[in-house]
Amino acid sequence: MNSSDRNMNPRIFESPAQRKRMRGVTLIETITVLAVMSIVTVAGAPSLRGTLANSRATTTSNRLLTDLSLARSAAIMSGVRSEVCPSNDGIQCSDSTDWSSGWIVFVDRNDDDKRSDSEPLLATVSGSELGGLHVLTSVGRTKARFLPDGRSGGTNLSMRVCDGPKLTRSVIVNITGRARVEKLDTESSLCE
């Protein structure tokens, strides 16, 4: 063998003891690692599920809070009433306390409590963006109205963000027009 052959395959000149130390992973070692990984995964899954549900609820309530603030700002800046209302089609308001299909934000220029084609949409949210959560308002309050001075028309409005039967957040609009999110940590809070 010449010196160039040695450079090409250095394992030719290794002793059997050196080759034994370079062996791969055994089947038992692989099964052990997979068993430990599956135990860790199973133990962490409920925690991850809870974290994802909390993240969806936070995102939905913050989006609702942002759209309410947008409507209030639009009413103040335009000097005309604005509204946030549930919508099944992303174009017109629906007369419902269930906002789970989405909602729209618009300036009500003709003051008729309905969105006309001439009134541009400021924001739309579809039900698919809610991640399976439900948004419900108080009975008798199907929309949030903001007057040109920024006040909310009517009484306080409470909007509930629900994950199945569990109430996770409340978005509350007071009569001065200020909106806030209230996080509910109790397990006994039910969405009704």
Side-chain angles (χ1 to χ4, degrees):
M1 246 185 216
N2 62 27
S3 63
S4 66
D5 288 339
R6 279 186 171 171
N7 293 336
M8 291 177 56
N9 192 352
R11 293 197 70 196
I12 293 174
F13 298 101
E14 293 174 351
S15 69
Q18 287 174 324
R19 278 190 228 131
K20 189 172 186 178
R21 279 183 277 154
M22 294 184 176
R23 66 186 171 113
V25 180
T26 67
L27 180 62
I28 293 174
E29 291 169 332
T30 303
I31 290 171
T32 303
V33 168
L34 289 174
V36 169
M37 285 177 51
S38 34
I39 290 169
V40 169
T41 302
V42 167
S47 174
L48 180 62
R49 201 173 308 123
T51 301
L52 290 174
N54 187 40
S55 177
R56 279 194 329 263
T58 299
T59 300
T60 298
S61 57
N62 286 344
R63 177 66 194 264
L64 187 54
L65 186 65
T66 299
D67 287 344
L68 290 165
S69 296
L70 172 65
R72 183 176 189 226
S73 296
I76 293 169
M77 290 176 23
S78 68
V80 179
R81 191 170 70 180
S82 66
E83 294 188 11
V84 183
C85 62
S87 177
N88 295 327
D89 60 5
I91 298 170
Q92 298 294 327
C93 293
S94 60
D95 191 30
S96 174
T97 57
D98 186 353
W99 293 40
S100 303
S101 295
W103 58 83
I104 60 174
V105 180
F106 67 98
V107 174
D108 190 12
R109 291 182 181 154
N110 58 9
D111 211 22
D112 65 351
D113 285 332
K114 294 184 276 187
R115 183 184 168 266
S116 305
D117 291 336
S118 63
E119 297 168 333
L121 288 169
L122 302 177
T124 60
V125 173
S126 68
S128 63
E129 295 176 60
L130 302 180
L133 297 175
H134 299 285
V135 179
L136 306 167
T137 60
S138 310
V139 174
R141 291 294 307 267
T142 59
K143 52 182 82 174
R145 262 185 221 106
F146 295 95
L147 304 174
D149 62 1
R151 289 181 299 128
S152 173
T155 60
N156 288 352
L157 172 65
S158 177
M159 307 170 99
R160 300 175 310 280
V161 178
C162 307
D163 187 4
K166 183 181 174 194
L167 179 61
T168 60
R169 305 276 190 288
S170 280
V171 178
I172 301 161
V173 182
N174 65 23
I175 59 173
T176 64
R178 296 196 59 190
R180 66 182 171 88
V181 175
E182 183 178 298
K183 182 178 178 183
L184 303 167
D185 290 327
T186 60
E187 292 293 323
S188 61
S189 299
L190 294 178
C191 205
E192 299 172 351

